[in-house]
Amino acid sequence: MERRTIEPRPDWQQTVEAQGLIYPLTRYPDNSLRPYWDESAYYVFSLPEVEALEEVVEELHGMCLAAAGHIVAENRFADLGITDPRVVRAVAEAWQRRAELPSVYGRFDLHYDGTGPAKLLEYNADTPTSLIEAASPQWFWMEERFPGADQWNSLHERLVAAWKRQAGLLPPGSPLHFAHSSDDELGEDLMTVAYLKETAEQAGLDTDWISMEEIGWDPLSGRFVDNRLRFIRSCFKLYPWEWLTTDAFAGHVLDTLDNGGGTGSTLWIEPAWKMLLSNKALLAILWELYPDHPHLLPAHLDGPRDLARTTGYVAKPLLGREGAGVTVHEPGAAPVVREEACCYQELAPLPAFDGNHVVLGAWVVDGESAGLGIRESSGLITDEYARFLPHVIL
C-alpha cells in the first residue's frame, strides 16, 4: 500500500459529476469549497495484498453474522439499546427468516497501513454511503489514467447480480420503491439511492422513486402508499432502522412489516436484522466472542477498562454516522464513562500517509467482498470533511 501524487485531470469536476458524483466539493466552516473527490493523489496496492484483504473482509462478515446470531439467541438486545419489545420481536423474526428477506450491501471500515493485519473499526451494514464514488468514478478514473491496470472493484456487476438473485424474494406484481430522505441537502443520499435503483433496473426489476417524506398512510386499507396511491409492497430505504422504528409512523411500520413469508404489507430493504450489525455494540460483542482475534480491536460496553491506562480508547455512540459524537482519549487520561450508551474501542490511530489519515472502506455485496473506497481525513476521526481518493492495483 503506497500513496502517490499525480496531477488531477483538467476537467475532473465536470467528469465525476457526469458520472453521478454531484457532490465533488465539500463546504468547510470558513465557507470555502474544497475537493471531496480528490484525485491529486491515489493509492497503489499489490494483487496479493488485495487478495488477502478480500479474505479478511469475508472472514469479518462471517464473524459479524455469528455475532448477530448470538445476540438473538442470548437475547442481548438491551446491549444494543433495543428495548421496545415490538422492535425486539421484529428484529429477531427478521433474523430467523433472513433467507426469505433481500439484503444487498454493507461497508466495513478498516484500519490498515500495508504492513500489519487489517483491523475492524466498524461495520456500516444498514445505510452505508460513499458507494457511487467507489463503484463508478474511480473505475473510470483508472481506465483513463492507468489503462490496462486493475482495481479492487466489482461493485456494479455484483450489485446487478445481487438484485437478479434476490428478485424472487420480492412481492410480485408491484414495483420496488427506492426511497431517501428529502432532508439530505448534499445530494449524497439521493444519488446513492438513484444508483442502486439503476442497478436494480439493469437486473430487470420494475422500480419506482419516492422520498421517505412522500410515503403516505391509507387508514382505510391500513397500508403505506406512494404518491400515486399505490400500495408500497417493497421499498429500499436509505433511512436508518433506528429512525424507522421511532418516528411518527413507527407503529404502522411494525404493524405492516413483511418479515418474510408474505405475511405483512411492506417489505423493507435493508431488512430489520441489519440493526444487529449497524450498531457499535457489535464491536464489543465480537471481542467477547473472538478475544485477541488479529482483525479485531479490544472493545467494551461498560467503560474503557484498562484501555484508558494502556492504549487509549475511542468512545463511539452506539448509533451515528460520519464520526458524529466520537471522542478520542489518549493513553493515561482519566477514564470517562459517558452518559449515552457507547462502545469503548482501543485507540488505533489511523495510518498517516503524507500527513493524511486514511481509512479503507471495504464493500460487501450479497455476502461477498466486492470493492474498496478510500477516505482521508486531517484528524483521527473520519468525519464529513473526509476526502475520497481513488486506488489502483499495480
Side-chain angles (χ1 to χ4, degrees), residues 349-353 355-359 375-380 382 387:
L350 294 178
F353 290 78
N356 302 283
H357 299 279
V358 63
V359 63
R375 287 171 296 157
E376 286 184 346
S377 57
S378 300
L380 296 180
T382 306
R387 306 169 294 277

Side-chain angles (χ1 to χ4, degrees), residues 270-303:
E270 296 289 324
W273 66 262
K274 283 297 190 79
M275 292 183 77
L276 303 169
L277 303 185
S278 60
N279 190 297
K280 305 301 188 300
L282 175 73
L283 302 171
I285 293 171
L286 281 168
W287 187 249
E288 289 179 29
L289 298 177
Y290 304 95
D292 300 317
H293 192 282
H295 300 305
L296 297 178
L297 293 167
H300 312 292
L301 293 176
D302 58 355

Side-chain angles (χ1 to χ4, degrees), residues 22-23 29 42 48 69 71 82 94 113 130-131 145 151 156-157 174 199 207 221 235 247 319 347 366 378 388:
I22 64 170
Y23 41 94
Y42 64 99
I71 294 167
I82 302 174
D113 63 2
S130 78
L131 176 65
R145 303 308 300 266
Q151 193 174 80
H156 189 85
E157 298 84 352
S174 59
T199 61
T207 69
S221 64
C235 183
D247 67 14
L319 301 167
L347 173 60
D366 204 7
S378 300
F388 187 97

Side-chain angles (χ1 to χ4, degrees), residues 290-346:
Y290 304 95
D292 300 317
H293 192 282
H295 300 305
L296 297 178
L297 293 167
H300 312 292
L301 293 176
D302 58 355
R305 301 189 190 179
D306 62 344
L307 299 178
R309 177 179 54 84
T310 57
T311 61
Y313 65 96
V314 177
K316 299 180 175 182
L318 299 187
L319 301 167
R321 298 176 67 181
E322 295 186 325
V326 174
T327 54
V328 176
H329 304 261
E330 297 291 340
V336 176
V337 178
R338 290 167 49 169
E339 290 188 9
E340 66 178 315
C342 285
C343 176
Y344 301 86
Q345 187 182 50
E346 178 181 278

Side-chain angles (χ1 to χ4, degrees), residues 93-94 97-102 169 257-264 266-267:
E93 181 185 41
R97 307 188 72 161
R98 62 192 179 280
E100 304 171 41
L101 298 170
L169 301 177
L257 180 61
D258 183 343
N259 240 349
T263 56
T266 303
L267 183 152

Side-chain angles (χ1 to χ4, degrees), residues 158-219:
R158 287 185 182 273
L159 285 166
V160 174
W163 289 120
K164 285 183 178 179
R165 190 187 73 78
Q166 302 188 67
L169 301 177
L170 298 173
S174 59
L176 170 60
H177 287 77
F178 282 79
H180 76 292
S181 173
S182 58
D183 287 341
D184 167 40
E185 297 179 352
L186 297 178
E188 182 177 18
D189 290 358
L190 168 72
M191 293 308 297
T192 300
V193 170
Y195 173 65
L196 286 164
K197 181 176 182 291
E198 177 186 341
T199 61
E201 290 170 350
Q202 291 184 18
L205 300 184
D206 180 21
T207 69
D208 207 341
W209 180 268
I210 196 168
S211 73
M212 293 297 297
E213 290 76 10
E214 288 178 307
I215 295 176
W217 176 256
D218 178 7

